[in-house]
Amino acid sequence: MSYPVSAGRPNYSGNFIPEIWSGKMIENFYDATVLAAIANTDYEGEIKSFGDTVNIRTTPEITIRTYTKGETLTVENPDKPKLQLLIDKGDYFACIEDDVDKIQSDIDLMDKWSKDASERMKIKIDQRVLANIVTEVSSFNEGLTAGRISGNIDLGVAGTPEALTSANVLQYIVDMGTVLDEANCPESDRWMVIPAKMAGLIKKSDLKDASLAGDNTSILRNGRLGMIDRFMLYMSHNLPNSGGEFDIIAGHKMGFTFASQMTEMETLRSTTTFGDIVRGLQVYGYKTVKSEALARGVITL
């Protein structure tokens, strides 16, 4: 729409009014990503390219036997199959900046596009990994009868989710902690990923602002909220959800491993037009290492 003018003073119909391009751009908003905070990422430095395999050694379980005086001892050779982390997934982006646009623009478009692509890459990977990890939780740590010892803790299932309110949300978090306790999961380095509305219920509960106590890490970076019952809570929009039901996942960093690396980031001249192409390839892989160190809930809010 043209700038308004007084009556009897029509706009010129020619090219006498120049267009002005702002030297600023509106920033995009991005979903917080959590994988780097909740997964074991020790193997990232060992991957080099798409298709690499990282062999993970695991500690064997030693058998304890009752001793009878004078008996011949049973000697075992401790062994446990290795786990293989296959770097078998990859996502890329590619875009072109026309030479004409480059001349007319006083903004580093390539830099802006690369940053946007990087953030969107992380979001897509988060969604993919979280959707798969929730399906690989130990059967003792999910469902209507969770708990390796008690077997009577209701964490909800698809079709019969646990309905959370500000009155019972803290109890639910405690129940997930109990499930992991019964699985002998270490108490340190526990985490839980929850949807935004559940985070809101926590802030309305008896805990209120204490949910954020002692944490000076920005929520804009990785969704980190604070600690409740040994869980460091992270808020994410990338959790699986369907029909008003949300999957939430909790656990310990030893539960699954994730490795990712931007193997290609390059700029080259286009062969079909006048312009520069910027493109990047990120390869990654993930694997559940200890399913008993993960817990899954299905909730409605």
Side-chain angles (χ1 to χ4, degrees), residues 26-48:
I26 297 175
E27 296 294 332
N28 290 329
F29 291 167
Y30 304 105
D31 291 344
T33 52
V34 298
L35 287 183
I38 67 175
N40 176 359
T41 57
D42 291 347
Y43 310 103
E44 281 196 331
E46 300 182 26
I47 64 175
K48 297 181 180 65

PDB file of all heavy atoms in Angstrom, residues 26-48:
ATOM      1  N   ILE A  26      13.713  -9.492  10.572  1.00  0.00           N
ATOM      2  CA  ILE A  26      12.970 -10.027  11.708  1.00  0.00           C
ATOM      3  C   ILE A  26      13.512 -11.418  12.038  1.00  0.00           C
ATOM      4  O   ILE A  26      13.617 -12.281  11.168  1.00  0.00           O
ATOM      5  CB  ILE A  26      11.464 -10.106  11.393  1.00  0.00           C
ATOM      6  CG1 ILE A  26      10.909  -8.700  11.159  1.00  0.00           C
ATOM      7  CG2 ILE A  26      10.705 -10.792  12.507  1.00  0.00           C
ATOM      8  CD1 ILE A  26       9.461  -8.680  10.721  1.00  0.00           C
ATOM      9  N   GLU A  27      13.871 -11.630  13.279  1.00  0.00           N
ATOM     10  CA  GLU A  27      14.440 -12.911  13.681  1.00  0.00           C
ATOM     11  C   GLU A  27      13.356 -13.975  13.791  1.00  0.00           C
ATOM     12  O   GLU A  27      12.216 -13.689  14.173  1.00  0.00           O
ATOM     13  CB  GLU A  27      15.154 -12.774  15.031  1.00  0.00           C
ATOM     14  CG  GLU A  27      16.365 -11.845  15.002  1.00  0.00           C
ATOM     15  CD  GLU A  27      17.489 -12.394  14.148  1.00  0.00           C
ATOM     16  OE1 GLU A  27      17.584 -13.628  14.014  1.00  0.00           O
ATOM     17  OE2 GLU A  27      18.271 -11.586  13.605  1.00  0.00           O
ATOM     18  N   ASN A  28      13.709 -15.195  13.468  1.00  0.00           N
ATOM     19  CA  ASN A  28      12.791 -16.317  13.621  1.00  0.00           C
ATOM     20  C   ASN A  28      12.828 -16.857  15.041  1.00  0.00           C
ATOM     21  O   ASN A  28      13.824 -16.723  15.758  1.00  0.00           O
ATOM     22  CB  ASN A  28      13.164 -17.446  12.652  1.00  0.00           C
ATOM     23  CG  ASN A  28      12.867 -17.091  11.210  1.00  0.00           C
ATOM     24  OD1 ASN A  28      11.932 -16.339  10.947  1.00  0.00           O
ATOM     25  ND2 ASN A  28      13.648 -17.613  10.287  1.00  0.00           N
ATOM     26  N   PHE A  29      11.734 -17.480  15.456  1.00  0.00           N
ATOM     27  CA  PHE A  29      11.675 -18.172  16.741  1.00  0.00           C
ATOM     28  C   PHE A  29      11.895 -19.655  16.490  1.00  0.00           C
ATOM     29  O   PHE A  29      11.390 -20.221  15.521  1.00  0.00           O
ATOM     30  CB  PHE A  29      10.306 -17.976  17.408  1.00  0.00           C
ATOM     31  CG  PHE A  29      10.045 -16.560  17.877  1.00  0.00           C
ATOM     32  CD1 PHE A  29       8.775 -16.170  18.243  1.00  0.00           C
ATOM     33  CD2 PHE A  29      11.076 -15.635  17.956  1.00  0.00           C
ATOM     34  CE1 PHE A  29       8.527 -14.882  18.678  1.00  0.00           C
ATOM     35  CE2 PHE A  29      10.837 -14.342  18.392  1.00  0.00           C
ATOM     36  CZ  PHE A  29       9.555 -13.965  18.752  1.00  0.00           C
ATOM     37  N   TYR A  30      12.614 -20.311  17.402  1.00  0.00           N
ATOM     38  CA  TYR A  30      12.929 -21.720  17.226  1.00  0.00           C
ATOM     39  C   TYR A  30      12.530 -22.516  18.466  1.00  0.00           C
ATOM     40  O   TYR A  30      12.665 -22.041  19.599  1.00  0.00           O
ATOM     41  CB  TYR A  30      14.423 -21.913  16.980  1.00  0.00           C
ATOM     42  CG  TYR A  30      14.963 -21.122  15.817  1.00  0.00           C
ATOM     43  CD1 TYR A  30      15.730 -19.985  16.013  1.00  0.00           C
ATOM     44  CD2 TYR A  30      14.697 -21.513  14.504  1.00  0.00           C
ATOM     45  CE1 TYR A  30      16.221 -19.246  14.947  1.00  0.00           C
ATOM     46  CE2 TYR A  30      15.185 -20.787  13.428  1.00  0.00           C
ATOM     47  CZ  TYR A  30      15.949 -19.651  13.652  1.00  0.00           C
ATOM     48  OH  TYR A  30      16.417 -18.939  12.595  1.00  0.00           O
ATOM     49  N   ASP A  31      12.053 -23.739  18.231  1.00  0.00           N
ATOM     50  CA  ASP A  31      11.801 -24.643  19.345  1.00  0.00           C
ATOM     51  C   ASP A  31      13.124 -24.965  20.030  1.00  0.00           C
ATOM     52  O   ASP A  31      14.157 -25.158  19.381  1.00  0.00           O
ATOM     53  CB  ASP A  31      11.174 -25.957  18.846  1.00  0.00           C
ATOM     54  CG  ASP A  31       9.759 -25.756  18.323  1.00  0.00           C
ATOM     55  OD1 ASP A  31       9.169 -24.700  18.613  1.00  0.00           O
ATOM     56  OD2 ASP A  31       9.256 -26.653  17.632  1.00  0.00           O
ATOM     57  N   ALA A  32      13.082 -25.048  21.364  1.00  0.00           N
ATOM     58  CA  ALA A  32      14.287 -25.423  22.105  1.00  0.00           C
ATOM     59  C   ALA A  32      14.637 -26.878  21.809  1.00  0.00           C
ATOM     60  O   ALA A  32      13.748 -27.730  21.688  1.00  0.00           O
ATOM     61  CB  ALA A  32      14.068 -25.223  23.601  1.00  0.00           C
ATOM     62  N   THR A  33      15.911 -27.169  21.691  1.00  0.00           N
ATOM     63  CA  THR A  33      16.361 -28.534  21.428  1.00  0.00           C
ATOM     64  C   THR A  33      17.068 -29.082  22.664  1.00  0.00           C
ATOM     65  O   THR A  33      17.735 -28.342  23.395  1.00  0.00           O
ATOM     66  CB  THR A  33      17.305 -28.583  20.221  1.00  0.00           C
ATOM     67  OG1 THR A  33      18.360 -27.628  20.406  1.00  0.00           O
ATOM     68  CG2 THR A  33      16.554 -28.227  18.949  1.00  0.00           C
ATOM     69  N   VAL A  34      16.929 -30.398  22.901  1.00  0.00           N
ATOM     70  CA  VAL A  34      17.357 -30.958  24.179  1.00  0.00           C
ATOM     71  C   VAL A  34      18.333 -32.118  24.076  1.00  0.00           C
ATOM     72  O   VAL A  34      18.896 -32.539  25.085  1.00  0.00           O
ATOM     73  CB  VAL A  34      16.122 -31.443  24.999  1.00  0.00           C
ATOM     74  CG1 VAL A  34      15.196 -30.291  25.307  1.00  0.00           C
ATOM     75  CG2 VAL A  34      15.372 -32.555  24.264  1.00  0.00           C
ATOM     76  N   LEU A  35      18.570 -32.675  22.900  1.00  0.00           N
ATOM     77  CA  LEU A  35      19.346 -33.915  22.802  1.00  0.00           C
ATOM     78  C   LEU A  35      20.732 -33.796  23.418  1.00  0.00           C
ATOM     79  O   LEU A  35      21.203 -34.719  24.089  1.00  0.00           O
ATOM     80  CB  LEU A  35      19.456 -34.355  21.343  1.00  0.00           C
ATOM     81  CG  LEU A  35      18.188 -34.931  20.714  1.00  0.00           C
ATOM     82  CD1 LEU A  35      18.481 -35.396  19.296  1.00  0.00           C
ATOM     83  CD2 LEU A  35      17.652 -36.092  21.540  1.00  0.00           C
ATOM     84  N   ALA A  36      21.383 -32.672  23.192  1.00  0.00           N
ATOM     85  CA  ALA A  36      22.738 -32.520  23.727  1.00  0.00           C
ATOM     86  C   ALA A  36      22.747 -32.555  25.246  1.00  0.00           C
ATOM     87  O   ALA A  36      23.764 -32.899  25.856  1.00  0.00           O
ATOM     88  CB  ALA A  36      23.345 -31.214  23.227  1.00  0.00           C
ATOM     89  N   ALA A  37      21.615 -32.226  25.872  1.00  0.00           N
ATOM     90  CA  ALA A  37      21.549 -32.176  27.335  1.00  0.00           C
ATOM     91  C   ALA A  37      21.155 -33.504  27.962  1.00  0.00           C
ATOM     92  O   ALA A  37      21.517 -33.783  29.103  1.00  0.00           O
ATOM     93  CB  ALA A  37      20.558 -31.095  27.774  1.00  0.00           C
ATOM     94  N   ILE A  38      20.424 -34.362  27.234  1.00  0.00           N
ATOM     95  CA  ILE A  38      19.883 -35.568  27.861  1.00  0.00           C
ATOM     96  C   ILE A  38      20.556 -36.854  27.397  1.00  0.00           C
ATOM     97  O   ILE A  38      20.347 -37.909  27.999  1.00  0.00           O
ATOM     98  CB  ILE A  38      18.363 -35.678  27.614  1.00  0.00           C
ATOM     99  CG1 ILE A  38      18.059 -35.925  26.137  1.00  0.00           C
ATOM    100  CG2 ILE A  38      17.645 -34.436  28.121  1.00  0.00           C
ATOM    101  CD1 ILE A  38      16.581 -36.154  25.836  1.00  0.00           C
ATOM    102  N   ALA A  39      21.345 -36.801  26.336  1.00  0.00           N
ATOM    103  CA  ALA A  39      21.960 -38.020  25.800  1.00  0.00           C
ATOM    104  C   ALA A  39      23.442 -38.075  26.132  1.00  0.00           C
ATOM    105  O   ALA A  39      24.082 -37.066  26.426  1.00  0.00           O
ATOM    106  CB  ALA A  39      21.775 -38.080  24.283  1.00  0.00           C
ATOM    107  N   ASN A  40      23.968 -39.268  26.085  1.00  0.00           N
ATOM    108  CA  ASN A  40      25.407 -39.462  26.164  1.00  0.00           C
ATOM    109  C   ASN A  40      25.984 -39.119  24.795  1.00  0.00           C
ATOM    110  O   ASN A  40      25.679 -39.775  23.801  1.00  0.00           O
ATOM    111  CB  ASN A  40      25.704 -40.921  26.527  1.00  0.00           C
ATOM    112  CG  ASN A  40      27.182 -41.235  26.535  1.00  0.00           C
ATOM    113  OD1 ASN A  40      28.013 -40.376  26.246  1.00  0.00           O
ATOM    114  ND2 ASN A  40      27.522 -42.461  26.843  1.00  0.00           N
ATOM    115  N   THR A  41      26.815 -38.103  24.748  1.00  0.00           N
ATOM    116  CA  THR A  41      27.384 -37.654  23.462  1.00  0.00           C
ATOM    117  C   THR A  41      28.895 -37.883  23.410  1.00  0.00           C
ATOM    118  O   THR A  41      29.610 -37.191  22.682  1.00  0.00           O
ATOM    119  CB  THR A  41      27.072 -36.165  23.234  1.00  0.00           C
ATOM    120  OG1 THR A  41      27.591 -35.397  24.328  1.00  0.00           O
ATOM    121  CG2 THR A  41      25.571 -35.928  23.129  1.00  0.00           C
ATOM    122  N   ASP A  42      29.371 -38.847  24.175  1.00  0.00           N
ATOM    123  CA  ASP A  42      30.816 -39.089  24.278  1.00  0.00           C
ATOM    124  C   ASP A  42      31.453 -39.496  22.955  1.00  0.00           C
ATOM    125  O   ASP A  42      32.673 -39.377  22.787  1.00  0.00           O
ATOM    126  CB  ASP A  42      31.108 -40.182  25.309  1.00  0.00           C
ATOM    127  CG  ASP A  42      30.819 -39.722  26.730  1.00  0.00           C
ATOM    128  OD1 ASP A  42      30.634 -38.509  26.922  1.00  0.00           O
ATOM    129  OD2 ASP A  42      30.773 -40.576  27.628  1.00  0.00           O
ATOM    130  N   TYR A  43      30.650 -39.990  22.014  1.00  0.00           N
ATOM    131  CA  TYR A  43      31.229 -40.570  20.791  1.00  0.00           C
ATOM    132  C   TYR A  43      31.210 -39.630  19.601  1.00  0.00           C
ATOM    133  O   TYR A  43      31.592 -40.015  18.506  1.00  0.00           O
ATOM    134  CB  TYR A  43      30.480 -41.864  20.440  1.00  0.00           C
ATOM    135  CG  TYR A  43      30.358 -42.794  21.620  1.00  0.00           C
ATOM    136  CD1 TYR A  43      29.161 -42.899  22.315  1.00  0.00           C
ATOM    137  CD2 TYR A  43      31.441 -43.538  22.059  1.00  0.00           C
ATOM    138  CE1 TYR A  43      29.050 -43.730  23.417  1.00  0.00           C
ATOM    139  CE2 TYR A  43      31.336 -44.370  23.163  1.00  0.00           C
ATOM    140  CZ  TYR A  43      30.142 -44.455  23.841  1.00  0.00           C
ATOM    141  OH  TYR A  43      30.044 -45.273  24.942  1.00  0.00           O
ATOM    142  N   GLU A  44      30.789 -38.393  19.822  1.00  0.00           N
ATOM    143  CA  GLU A  44      30.678 -37.465  18.690  1.00  0.00           C
ATOM    144  C   GLU A  44      32.021 -37.218  18.007  1.00  0.00           C
ATOM    145  O   GLU A  44      32.093 -37.067  16.797  1.00  0.00           O
ATOM    146  CB  GLU A  44      30.074 -36.140  19.160  1.00  0.00           C
ATOM    147  CG  GLU A  44      28.574 -36.201  19.322  1.00  0.00           C
ATOM    148  CD  GLU A  44      27.933 -34.846  19.407  1.00  0.00           C
ATOM    149  OE1 GLU A  44      28.593 -33.902  19.871  1.00  0.00           O
ATOM    150  OE2 GLU A  44      26.756 -34.728  19.024  1.00  0.00           O
ATOM    151  N   GLY A  45      33.083 -37.183  18.788  1.00  0.00           N
ATOM    152  CA  GLY A  45      34.377 -36.910  18.202  1.00  0.00           C
ATOM    153  C   GLY A  45      34.932 -38.055  17.375  1.00  0.00           C
ATOM    154  O   GLY A  45      35.943 -37.900  16.683  1.00  0.00           O
ATOM    155  N   GLU A  46      34.257 -39.226  17.406  1.00  0.00           N
ATOM    156  CA  GLU A  46      34.771 -40.389  16.702  1.00  0.00           C
ATOM    157  C   GLU A  46      34.126 -40.601  15.334  1.00  0.00           C
ATOM    158  O   GLU A  46      34.497 -41.520  14.609  1.00  0.00           O
ATOM    159  CB  GLU A  46      34.573 -41.645  17.567  1.00  0.00           C
ATOM    160  CG  GLU A  46      35.297 -41.560  18.911  1.00  0.00           C
ATOM    161  CD  GLU A  46      35.132 -42.830  19.733  1.00  0.00           C
ATOM    162  OE1 GLU A  46      34.909 -43.895  19.148  1.00  0.00           O
ATOM    163  OE2 GLU A  46      35.237 -42.742  20.964  1.00  0.00           O
ATOM    164  N   ILE A  47      33.147 -39.790  14.979  1.00  0.00           N
ATOM    165  CA  ILE A  47      32.507 -39.964  13.679  1.00  0.00           C
ATOM    166  C   ILE A  47      33.093 -38.969  12.688  1.00  0.00           C
ATOM    167  O   ILE A  47      33.449 -37.849  13.036  1.00  0.00           O
ATOM    168  CB  ILE A  47      30.972 -39.797  13.770  1.00  0.00           C
ATOM    169  CG1 ILE A  47      30.588 -38.382  14.173  1.00  0.00           C
ATOM    170  CG2 ILE A  47      30.390 -40.799  14.747  1.00  0.00           C
ATOM    171  CD1 ILE A  47      29.098 -38.144  14.152  1.00  0.00           C
ATOM    172  N   LYS A  48      33.219 -39.410  11.461  1.00  0.00           N
ATOM    173  CA  LYS A  48      33.832 -38.570  10.431  1.00  0.00           C
ATOM    174  C   LYS A  48      32.918 -38.325   9.240  1.00  0.00           C
ATOM    175  O   LYS A  48      32.957 -37.295   8.614  1.00  0.00           O
ATOM    176  CB  LYS A  48      35.136 -39.212   9.937  1.00  0.00           C
ATOM    177  CG  LYS A  48      36.209 -39.335  11.011  1.00  0.00           C
ATOM    178  CD  LYS A  48      37.459 -39.957  10.433  1.00  0.00           C
ATOM    179  CE  LYS A  48      38.549 -40.090  11.494  1.00  0.00           C
ATOM    180  NZ  LYS A  48      38.171 -41.030  12.554  1.00  0.00           N
TER     181      LYS A  48
END
